[in-house]
Amino acid sequence: MEQSLTWYVCRRLALGLGLIAAVSAVLLISDYRARKTKAASRVPRVALLQFASRPVLDNAMQGIRDSLAEKGYVSGETVDFVGFNAEGDMVTANTVAQSIVDGNFDMVVSISTPSLQTMASANRAGKLTHVFGVVTDPFSCEVGITGEEPGDHPSWMAGIGTFQPVAMTLELLHQMNPRAKKVGMAMNPADACSVACLEKAVAATERLGLELLVAQVENTSGVYEAATALAARGADALFIGGDNTVEAAVESVVRAGNAAKIPVFACSPEHIDIGVMVGVGANYYEVGRAVGQMAGDVLAGELAPADVAVADLMPRRLALNQQALALMDASWRFPPELLEGADLIIDPSGRRLEKAPKEEILKPLFKTCWNVHFIAFVEAPMVDEWLEGWREETTALKLVEGKHYRLTYRNAQGDMATLNAILDAAIGDGADILLTTSTPTLQATVQKNPDIPLVFGLTANPMLAGVGKSYTDHLPWLTGIGTMSDYATMAAIVRECLPQARRVGSLVNPSEDNSEFNCAQTKAALAAVGIELVTMSTSQSAEVPNGAQALASADISAICQALGNLHDASFPAIAAAAHQAGIPLFAYSTGQAVSGGAAIAVARDYRQGGRDQARMMLRVMNGTPIGGIPIENISRTVITVNQEHARKSGFVVPPSVLSRADTVIEGKE
């Protein structure tokens, strides 16, 4: 036993000493080369510091090199790059950092939290410029970064944070299996990244109604035992946050998960190659490009580190592993819209299917307070959900109202004259960017053709509003988030709930393009499952109660109300007519099921739509040409069942629908 322990210690020391010797040799050779060539031509010397060899860090470093090359910094010609890798050893990392400070470099570019911490410790006197990236939470690293303002960090330091999408990953987990109740998370309490992610995970699981099980580890050798213990405690899934220790032993987590037949979710897309079922995180190549762009600007004298605000950058990348899914029970599923929106998929045969990366380099350098005008047409539950999501995402993106933007929110209350006056007021106020919800608001803005960037939302078919020919071929001053309903899923739910139904009804507003379009799409989807849609026209709010009663009295089995501003605002009258007639009511808005009277809602996640709009707004703020940003659709559909509303109509929701609903509201018996 004693000999074994001695051999283990010697082997560890040999690894550390070998790495240190190698680093020293590189520094001696590079320093000799620098002294030899200094008299002939002085080019900047840049150290590239990487903590370990992992796909995330390798991709980021490649992005840094590519971005610097595009700015004219070619290794061996216009710049002298020297790369260092501590291979995950903290003793070596500290030695490397001190050697870089003493090594006659002009700049160091570091990636990962440990590299930031070790480099900042060695460079406390500010001997050389330090640009960092791929750091989960720079503010909790205790390196002198106290806030987001340019003066809130050492003057020789600049960089970009990339907080792991903890909440988003856990929301996907909940979406893929609403019946999952417990999530297991192994973490190293000595890792600042892991602690920051744990705080986010605690908040997210509480909001989603999940129980978070935590197991602490000190090193990679304890990860498998911790993951196995979490499975034994009843975890329905395992979650990996931004923990350097656990990420270095992903195979162990996957092995424990597969043994227990529970999936692994990670905040890193690259991990699906190892067997993780879902990986959602940053495109670290793009993060690296942004870091390289910043480093190049500093090297060129175009940007002073002291003038840089430390902000967060998260160009999202979603990866799904269908082979891993096949190992799990039937409660886990990949919704079709999620597969469609994935950037990387491992299909059931093991093929790696990857979409071309989006051009999405953001510059988190806020140099002005943007004058933002947010304009809505009517008050409705979906508008409230959208705005809540927008506010949540701006907070997550660390956009601070009063510092990064000044917000003016106005609602036209369904009146076109008021809407036009609000638009004129926004233009007159010198708005820097316009945000809108609803088709009428988008149409009115397009007609005014303001010379102001517009990011629209809550519009089923933007083409009907005159924005252009397609999602990629649109007016050069706008982009946005489309909200075309999931008509096919709605039709399937109606048929499943009402197997004998032949006719259902919907009100339609012939003076509103959005209402007519949604009605036509609903009609086509229902026809595909053998159901006829009966429509009745109402054009004013005063007509809706009588129109709804007349519709409910017709020979129909249910009301499946298509979206439209008039009928969204008047939905309580439609619900009252359906309840009085004793027929179920189906809706396309979650809020209409939660509190509006509908028994079932098959809805786009409007809260997610608001988040998407906020991220798109940030891209515009950061200088991405708006005309080159494709219009996008919300990718997520949610099913909400309200048992109390169903009982009011004498309707029993089938167990098959209840089992796959995202939310079931029991209400009062």
Side-chain angles (χ1 to χ4, degrees):
M1 177 68 181
E2 186 176 343
Q3 287 182 337
S4 175
L5 179 61
T6 303
W7 167 244
Y8 173 77
V9 171
C10 290
R11 187 175 61 180
R12 293 293 295 168
L13 285 172
L15 172 63
L17 291 170
L19 287 169
I20 292 169
V23 168
S24 301
V26 169
L27 284 168
L28 286 170
I29 293 169
S30 62
D31 192 50
Y32 169 76
R33 183 176 60 190
R35 291 196 305 269
K36 183 177 179 181
T37 59
K38 184 174 181 180
S41 61
R42 178 70 167 91
V43 297
R45 300 188 70 235
V46 177
L48 302 176
L49 176 58
Q50 184 171 336
F51 180 65
S53 296
R54 298 208 317 262
V56 165
L57 302 182
D58 293 341
N59 292 343
M61 189 58 76
Q62 188 60 52
I64 290 169
R65 288 181 177 273
D66 290 350
S67 186
L68 282 165
E70 289 175 8
K71 290 191 70 68
Y73 291 102
V74 180
S75 183
E77 297 179 14
T78 55
V79 68
D80 185 9
F81 286 133
V82 182
F84 300 91
N85 191 326
E87 295 298 352
D89 186 88
M90 285 301 296
V91 175
T92 303
N94 281 296
T95 301
V96 168
Q98 189 58 56
S99 299
I100 291 173
V101 171
D102 298 334
N104 195 31
F105 287 95
D106 299 287
M107 173 187 286
V108 58
V109 181
S110 71
I111 54 174
S112 81
T113 298
S115 291
L116 168 61
Q117 291 173 314
T118 55
M119 197 66 240
S121 177
N123 192 40
R124 282 189 296 266
K127 186 175 179 180
L128 72 163
T129 301
H130 181 187
V131 176
F132 64 84
V134 196
V135 175
T136 295
D137 187 9
F139 310 100
S140 66
C141 291
E142 299 182 353
V143 296
I145 303 173
T146 58
E148 299 175 356
E149 292 297 326
D152 292 341
H153 59 79
S155 60
W156 56 86
M157 184 186 293
I160 294 170
T162 306
F163 208 107
Q164 309 289 335
V166 173
M168 184 185 298
T169 307
L170 292 170
E171 285 168 5
L172 285 173
L173 185 156
H174 182 62
Q175 178 186 354
M176 292 175 188
N177 186 359
R179 287 186 287 178
K181 299 301 179 186
K182 296 181 180 181
V183 181
M185 179 180 177
M187 56 85 65
N188 183 350
D191 187 328
C193 298
S194 192
V195 173
C197 287
L198 176 63
E199 292 177 1
K200 295 284 186 181
V202 169
T205 50
E206 287 180 356
R207 177 168 54 81
L208 293 168
L210 298 168
E211 181 182 352
L212 183 66
L213 309 176
V214 178
Q216 295 186 359
V217 297
E218 296 180 356
N219 48 51
T220 55
S221 62
V223 171
Y224 178 73
E225 182 180 351
T228 301
L230 289 167
R233 289 167 62 188
D236 297 300
L238 298 174
F239 168 68
I240 302 174
D243 187 302
N244 287 283
T245 302
V246 180
E247 288 208 18
V250 174
E251 297 92 338
S252 297
V253 182
V254 171
R255 186 154 50 95
N258 288 345
K261 293 194 178 303
I262 59 175
V264 180
F265 287 71
C267 292
S268 173
E270 288 78 6
H271 290 335
I272 68 163
D273 292 320
I274 303 172
V276 165
M277 191 175 84
V278 177
V280 57
N283 182 329
Y284 283 100
Y285 174 77
E286 294 297 336
V287 172
R289 285 178 59 85
V291 174
Q293 183 175 8
M294 181 183 290
D297 289 344
V298 172
L299 278 174
E302 299 170 3
L303 182 67
D307 295 336
V308 176
V310 177
D312 197 64
L313 173 63
M314 174 55 68
R316 194 209 72 166
R317 193 163 183 253
L318 171 63
L320 304 175
N321 188 332
Q322 291 181 304
Q323 276 195 321
L325 176 66
L327 301 176
M328 307 304 151
D329 64 44
S331 63
W332 293 99
R333 64 186 182 94
F334 289 160
E337 62 271 14
L338 205 62
L339 284 166
E340 184 180 345
D343 301 282
L344 172 62
I345 294 173
I346 292 180
D347 73 5
S349 68
R351 288 184 305 165
R352 201 172 192 271
L353 309 176
E354 190 164 6
K355 291 182 182 177
K358 299 176 182 177
E359 285 295 325
E360 203 170 318
I361 302 174
L362 307 186
K363 303 175 187 177
L365 309 174
F366 297 101
K367 297 181 180 179
T368 185
C369 183
W370 285 67
N371 183 8
V372 178
H373 279 249
F374 203 136
I375 303 170
F377 182 59
V378 294
E379 290 185 359
M382 67 183 68
V383 177
D384 294 339
E385 291 175 47
W386 191 281
L387 187 59
E388 287 170 5
W390 184 87
R391 289 190 178 280
E392 287 172 359
E393 191 63 21
T394 53
T395 300
L397 294 170
K398 298 183 180 179
L399 289 171
V400 179
E401 187 171 355
K403 181 169 71 172
H404 298 135
Y405 68 95
R406 174 169 60 87
L407 179 66
T408 301
Y409 176 79
R410 292 192 175 111
N411 192 307
Q413 304 297 328
D415 184 76
M416 287 302 300
T418 303
L419 176 61
N420 280 290
I422 289 173
L423 282 168
D424 289 338
I427 296 168
D429 188 46
D432 295 312
I433 191 167
L434 295 174
L435 306 175
T436 65
T437 57
S438 83
T439 298
T441 314
L442 176 57
Q443 287 174 315
T445 310
V446 168
Q447 289 171 5
K448 288 188 179 293
N449 193 27
D451 188 21
I452 300 171
L454 165 67
V455 180
F456 65 81
L458 207 56
T459 302
N461 190 338
M463 305 311 118
L464 289 178
V467 304
K469 297 178 181 178
S470 69
Y471 278 28
T472 55
D473 183 5
H474 55 74
L475 292 171
W477 49 273
L478 59 75
T479 188
I481 305 297
T483 54
M484 192 174 293
S485 299
D486 193 345
Y487 311 104
T489 299
M490 173 63 86
I493 290 289
V494 173
R495 170 53 74 207
E496 191 172 349
C497 290
L498 306 170
Q500 305 302 318
R502 293 292 173 264
R503 289 155 53 96
V504 300
S506 177
L507 296 181
V508 61
N509 182 359
S511 62
E512 183 185 330
D513 290 341
N514 211 30
S515 176
E516 287 201 313
F517 173 79
N518 283 317
C519 236
Q521 298 298 314
T522 299
K523 183 174 183 178
L526 287 168
V529 296
I531 299 176
E532 177 189 356
L533 182 67
V534 178
T535 61
M536 186 162 293
S537 298
T538 54
S539 301
Q540 298 177 10
S541 57
E543 300 174 355
V544 173
N546 290 335
Q549 289 175 7
L551 179 67
S553 301
D555 182 21
I556 60 174
S557 300
I559 293 178
C560 180
Q561 183 55 51
L563 290 175
N565 287 292
L566 171 64
H567 299 121
D568 294 340
S570 305
F571 198 82
I574 301 172
H579 295 163
Q580 185 177 354
I583 59 175
L585 175 59
F586 296 83
Y588 283 104
S589 168
T590 299
Q592 291 168 351
V594 173
S595 58
I600 297 178
V602 178
R604 292 304 191 189
D605 187 344
Y606 295 112
R607 186 184 295 269
Q608 181 60 44
R611 294 179 182 135
D612 294 342
Q613 188 183 34
R615 284 197 292 270
M616 196 170 276
M617 176 191 74
L618 177 61
R619 294 179 64 187
V620 176
M621 286 179 165
N622 281 323
T624 304
I626 192 168
I629 302 177
I631 296 167
E632 299 177 3
N633 270 325
I634 300 176
S635 61
R636 188 181 180 210
T637 296
V638 291
I639 300 172
T640 303
V641 175
N642 191 313
Q643 295 279 52
E644 183 179 357
H645 296 163
R647 285 190 289 268
K648 287 182 179 179
S649 302
F651 168 51
V652 178
V653 182
S656 58
V657 174
L658 289 172
S659 67
R660 68 176 190 273
D662 296 275
T663 302
V664 177
I665 302 169
E666 293 296 340
K668 301 175 182 177
E669 291 289 348

